[in-house]
């Protein structure tokens, strides 16, 4: 504790505080624009960190990522486009709540629980970084394979309505992920000789199309677009005080404190694993939350609980990713990969000794972590208030602007017109799927996880010389395998039993 | 009305950019064929920041990833040859076409300058029994096809490096099983987890784990020891005549006007030889290096010849042969999808429209509005590269707004403010490039 004094004085340096505030605003802006990911935001500030002190450089990254991931929820609520992939799991909940006039309340819940999850992750980082870091070194490709199977299972569990339709969407997404060059085989698949298809179907344009454009397409067909009064009075309530934004969050926290802790713990653990980050953390936590909920039917239709748990998980995963990065030099996600680059540039050697050799810096960094997760409350609040004004824009004006942002967002990530076309095609697909009652979220997860899933499978089989025993050979792999299988089999068995019961009922 | 407004927009924007132009007077784009946060991306962004100071125009980086570098290299080669699009070439430009993955080769670029070279090195876990490269060699000789290695996907540059070492000591390139893991970071992690025994990748990529004492390097495939890693011996010191590594350089599309390439080459030279670049690269573990366009051209041609020979050699045939073919996974998925679809059809038959939630019939004109959204996007894709983001998006947005009966009194100011503001936000504030078009906006 005697390190706290000097650390505090370092953190209260005005330059550093200015960097934190600047990074918070930049991160909020970046996260709330669809198509721009938090990783991209961090990569963009790397040249700037050259001019900053080591602590300020890392503080900028920490604040930026926390604010970007939580601000990713804003466009979900506004126009149903997840700002970052980490928000995709509960985009429908946010949007539905906003449509029912709960825009401010829902986003208040999302940023409050982002902060709570973030603080939990930081606490783990501060207290248990050294013992927990070894988790990151246990996972071979076999364990990762099971982890991804587990994540995919969660998507089917969470899909609203029929699990069969969720599985259909998931398989569609997995199939999309096989388009392009297969890295493990170095062979092109489904490219039809077109060079643009080599890069495959990237998930950001797909996500923007499936969620955002499909919603526009549905809206332009609705009769209500022609109505003279396109502003729906129920969407916007007149005044939004701080209480209206944060009231819902406090109530939720008091009612179910353990659920938030559980969600944060899941998020942190997944964050520590190098092969999985904030997006998968949100999916898994959302699935767990739904399974444990008393009102599982609300999930996907506007569940405050679901968005609180998933929102806490994705932010806690961010801090979790720093655990192996600081103590082992293994990046926990794509952002900490960039962080390691910055640390090298600043002559900071990651490793167990960093806590001794760079004690002052590490302690200050931990304080910055706490600060970053607190500063996202006021910046988030401002962003919610400012973006809330957009809820008053009449639909016939908003929809074309949403199309514009879909186009910009899908182009921005890789500067490719193909991605814009892909976004449009995915918008059409999303429209068709949702008319048939098929959820679009699992499609996105399938695209994200399909590549790694296949790669880990082939890699494990290559390393074992073709013996499938490799997936159960290590105790950790066997445990994960059983967990993954149960996520898939339990709901299937439940559905089968319910089906039999209902048939018996029919006969009687 | 709409057409008139569109014309007004086009004229207003066109006249603003009619003045004669010197090069460069607009943002320059560096296409990075590898993902954000990786080694190449870090070099690209460092380069961009310093080039920007030198040239006085914004220099942005876009990560055109995928296809093991095919996407980025082909995008860069096929870009408009006006000097505003550069590519951060990596050694893969000399291997991809030999592997039949693209027709793009070093000849499709006008070299601008080499900026960095990193040699391959061999890594094992800190607790591994092998102290020297000779120990590892003996282990492979005693029990071929027992040890597993990675560092990149099959036939990637680090795989070629390891296989080349094996060949040059008289072993077969397949005597170490290559597990195809895309990227050095996940490979190193797999090494630590015990899934593989050896990693071949560059020193900067392994620097964090090396300095944390988790892994050891048995040798670097360079002519001399790398200054930042004085403890890592070269292969040559250990009696093995084999060097290989990656290189990074800037290239422009091959028909770029020579005077522009020269201007850019001079700027790159000033940057690479300046202190800022040197110290940033050295601290990150990279080896800064410079070659002018002519030298870089011959370096690339030499790499192309050498790696082409390696990839076509008898020993490297069959490296890709594998038990689980590329169509295995898609076939499994298609089978599962067919099963699920059948089950869905069966379920729908059993319970036909039970809840009566059939969507209400669309009002007249809805089909048109629906199609217009998609046509608008198609028009944007077709026209944006020529007319630029602001003009194309402005006109299309205005047309769409008016079609949905937003009053022009609202629509016109909205377009005039929103479109240029978004362009400014993306391209200037957030440094995310948008289509520039011939008028430069």
């Amino acid at each position: 504790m005697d390190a706290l004094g000097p650390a505090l004085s370092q953190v209260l340096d005005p330059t550093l505080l200015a960097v934190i505030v600047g990074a918070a605003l930049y991160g909020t802006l970046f996260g709330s624009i669809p198509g721009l990911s938090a990783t991209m935001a961090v990569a963009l500030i790397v040249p700037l960190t050259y001019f900053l002190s080591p602590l300020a450089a890392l503080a900028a990254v920490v604040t930026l990522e926390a604010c970007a991931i939580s601000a990713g929820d804003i466009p979900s609520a506004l126009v149903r486009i997840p700002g970052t992939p980490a928000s995709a799991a509960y985009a429908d909940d946010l949007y539905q709540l906003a449509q029912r006039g709960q825009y401010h309340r829902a986003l208040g819940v999302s940023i409050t629980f982002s902060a709570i999850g973030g603080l939990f992750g930081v606490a783990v980082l501060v207290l248990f970084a050294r013992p927990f870091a070894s988790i990151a070194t246990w996972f071979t490709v076999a364990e990762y394979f099971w982890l991804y199977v587990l994540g995919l299972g969660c998507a089917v569990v969470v899909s609203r309505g029929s699990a069969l339709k969720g599985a259909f969407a998931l398989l569609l997404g997995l199939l999309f992920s096989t388009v392009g060059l297969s890295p493990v085989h170095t062979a092109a698949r489904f490219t039809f000789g077109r060079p643009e298809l080599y890069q495959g179907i990237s998930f950001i344009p797909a996500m923007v199309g499936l969620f955002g454009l499909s919603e526009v397409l549905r809206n332009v067909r609705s009769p209500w677009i022609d109505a003279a009064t396109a502003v729906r009075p129920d969407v916007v309530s007149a005044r939004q005080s701080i209480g209206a934004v944060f009231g819902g969050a406090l109530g939720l926290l008091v009612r179910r404190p353990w659920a938030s802790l559980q969600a944060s713990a899941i998020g942190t653990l997944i964050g520590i694993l190098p092969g999985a980050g904030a997006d998968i953390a949100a999916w898994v936590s959302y699935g767990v939350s739904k399974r444990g909920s008393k009102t599982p039917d609300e999930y996907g239709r506007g569940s405050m609980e679901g968005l609180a748990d998933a929102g806490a998980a994705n932010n806690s995963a961010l801090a979790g990713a720093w655990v192996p990065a600081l103590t082992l030099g293994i990046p926990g996600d794509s952002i900490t990969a960039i962080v390691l680059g910055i640390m090298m540039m600043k002559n900071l050697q990651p490793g167990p000794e960093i806590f001794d050799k760079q004690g002052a810096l590490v302690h200050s960094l931990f304080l910055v972590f706490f600060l970053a997760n607190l500063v996202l409350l006021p910046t988030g609040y401002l962003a919610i208030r400012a973006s809330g004004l957009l809820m008053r824009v009449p639909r016939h004006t908003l929809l074309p602007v949403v199309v514009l942002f879909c186009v910009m967002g899908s182009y921005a990530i890789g500067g490719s017109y193909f991605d814009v076309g892909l976004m449009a095609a995915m918008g059409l697909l999303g429209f068709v799927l949702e008319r048939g009652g098929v959820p679009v979220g699992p499609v996105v997860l399938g695209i994200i996880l399909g590549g790694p899933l296949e790669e880990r499978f082939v890699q494990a089989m290559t390393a074992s010389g073709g013996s499938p025993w490799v997936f159960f050979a290590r105790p950790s792999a066997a445990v994960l395998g059983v967990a993954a299988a149960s996520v898939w089999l339990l709901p299937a068995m439940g559905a089968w039993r319910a089906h039999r019961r209902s048939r018996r009922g029919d006969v009687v | 009305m709409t057409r008139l407004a569109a014309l007004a927009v086009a004229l207003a924007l066109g006249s603003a950019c009619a003045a004669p132009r010197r090069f460069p007077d607009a943002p320059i784009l560096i296409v990075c064929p590898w993902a954000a946060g990786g080694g190449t991306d870090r070099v690209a962004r460092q380069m961009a920041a310093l080039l920007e100071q030198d040239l006085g125009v914004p220099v942005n980086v876009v990560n055109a990833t995928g296809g093991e570098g095919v996407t980025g290299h082909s995008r860069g080669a096929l870009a408009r040859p006006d000097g505003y699009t550069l590519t951060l070439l990596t050694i893969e430009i000399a291997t991809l076409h030999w592997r039949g993955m693209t027709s793009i080769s070093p000849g499709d670029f006008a070299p601008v300058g080499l900026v960095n070279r990193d040699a391959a090195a061999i890594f094992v876990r800190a607790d591994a029994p092998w102290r020297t490269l000779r120990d590892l060699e003996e282990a492979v000789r005693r029990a071929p096809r027992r040890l597993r290695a990675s560092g990149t996907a099959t036939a990637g540059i680090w795989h070629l490096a390891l296989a080349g070492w094996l060949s040059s000591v008289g072993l077969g390139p397949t005597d170490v099983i290559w597990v195809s893991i895309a990227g050095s970071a996940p490979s190193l992690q797999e090494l630590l987890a015990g899934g593989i025994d050896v990693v071949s990748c560059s020193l900067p990529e392994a620097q964090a784990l090396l300095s944390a004492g988790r892994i050891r390097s048995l040798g670097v495939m360079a002519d001399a020891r790398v200054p930042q890693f004085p403890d890592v011996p070269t292969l040559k010191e250990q009696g093995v005549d084999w060097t290989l590594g990656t290189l990074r350089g800037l290239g422009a599309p091959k028909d770029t006007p020579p005077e522009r390439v020269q201007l850019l080459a001079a700027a790159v030279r000033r940057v690479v030889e300046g202190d800022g670049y040197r110290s940033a690269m050295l601290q990150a573990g990279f080896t800064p290096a410079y070659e002018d366009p002519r030298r870089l051209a011959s370096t690339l041609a030499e790499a192309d010849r050498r790696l082409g020979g390696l990839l076509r050699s008898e020993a490297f045939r069959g490296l890709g042969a594998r038990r689980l073919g590329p169509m295995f996974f898609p076939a499994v998925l298609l089978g599962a999808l067919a099963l699920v679809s059948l089950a869905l059809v069966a379920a729908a038959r059993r319970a036909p429209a039970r809840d009566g939630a059939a969507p209400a019939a669309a009002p007249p004109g809805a089909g048109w509005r629906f199609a217009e959204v998609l046509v608008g996007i198609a028009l944007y894709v077709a026209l944006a590269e020529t007319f630029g983001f602001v003009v194309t998006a402005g006109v299309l947005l205005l047309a769409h707004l008016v079609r949905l009966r937003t009053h022009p009194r609202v629509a016109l100011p909205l377009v005039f403010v929103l479109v240029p503001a978004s362009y400014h936000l993306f391209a200037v504030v957030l440094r995310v490039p948008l289509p520039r078009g011939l008028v430069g906006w």
Side-chain angles (χ1 to χ4, degrees), chain A residues 111-149:
Chain A
I111 63 160
T112 310
F113 282 89
S114 291
I116 291 169
L119 291 173
F120 181 93
V122 178
V124 171
L125 174 66
V126 172
L127 298 173
F128 304 112
R130 276 193 252 196
F132 276 28
S134 55
I135 297 175
T137 59
W138 292 346
F139 271 52
T140 66
V141 284
E143 279 90 356
Y144 277 112
F145 173 77
W146 286 123
L147 179 71
Y148 297 144
V149 173

Side-chain angles (χ1 to χ4, degrees), chain B residues 212-439:
Chain B
R214 311 282 302 195
I215 58 174
R216 280 183 288 121
S217 176
L218 298 183
V220 58
M221 304 180 191
D223 289 322
R225 291 195 183 202
V226 179
Q228 303 101 296
F229 303 91
D231 302 334
V232 179
T234 63
L235 264 64
K236 283 192 170 159
E237 288 172 44
Q238 306 183 57
V240 180
D241 186 24
W242 174 252
T243 58
L244 190 63
T246 189
L247 53 83
R248 299 186 175 96
L250 283 166
K254 72 165 179 274
D255 295 324
T256 309
E259 67 278 5
R260 290 190 177 185
V261 174
Q262 272 167 25
L263 191 146
L264 291 168
V268 168
R269 173 176 209 136
R270 285 192 294 275
V271 165
V272 176
E273 290 179 348
D275 284 339
Y277 181 81
R278 253 194 95 69
S279 58
M281 291 288 282
L282 284 173
Q283 295 226 322
F286 295 108
T287 310
Y290 179 74
E291 282 178 11
D292 62 17
R294 194 175 307 163
R295 291 253 317 280
L296 177 57
S298 66
T299 302
L300 284 174
E302 161 66 19
D304 197 53
R305 201 185 49 72
R306 182 175 170 213
L307 294 172
L310 207 60
L311 280 165
R312 283 175 305 164
S313 70
E314 200 59 44
F316 275 76
R317 299 255 171 84
L319 269 189
R322 207 171 282 100
R323 210 165 276 112
L324 297 163
M327 293 318 268
F328 172 77
F329 189 62
V332 170
L333 290 176
L334 273 173
L337 195 66
L339 277 181
V340 170
S341 308
L342 275 179
L344 276 174
V345 169
R349 280 232 182 134
R350 216 175 300 130
R354 172 183 43 190
D355 47 3
W368 281 113
R369 286 199 302 265
F370 186 89
E372 276 162 15
V373 174
L374 298 173
V375 170
I377 295 173
L379 279 175
Y380 175 85
V381 170
L383 301 175
E385 192 58 25
T386 315
F387 295 102
F389 170 80
V390 174
V391 176
T392 321
V395 171
L396 289 172
L397 179 64
L398 187 66
H400 197 195
L401 281 168
V402 171
R403 264 294 291 172
L404 291 188
R405 303 193 194 165
T406 297
H407 198 281
R409 200 175 54 223
V410 178
L412 269 174
L414 181 71
V415 169
F416 271 95
V417 173
L418 183 71
V419 175
S422 335
Y423 182 84
H424 193 81
L425 178 69
F426 269 67
V428 183
V429 180
L430 300 179
R431 314 308 297 274
V432 178
L434 288 173
R436 226 164 23 85
L438 292 175
V439 290

Side-chain angles (χ1 to χ4, degrees), chain A residues 136 186 189 345 414 417 459, chain B residues 75 99 180 189 283 326 385:
Chain A
T186 10
R189 294 187 295 207
M345 202 163 82
Y417 291 103
Q459 285 156 3
Chain B
R75 177 104 51 86
R99 296 161 65 189
S180 184
Q189 201 258 315
Q283 295 226 322
E385 192 58 25

Side-chain angles (χ1 to χ4, degrees), chain B residues 142-158:
Chain B
R142 267 199 309 276
R145 298 197 58 77
R146 278 283 300 283
L147 295 182
R148 293 151 300 174
S150 191
T152 181
T154 301
I157 186 68
W158 308 132

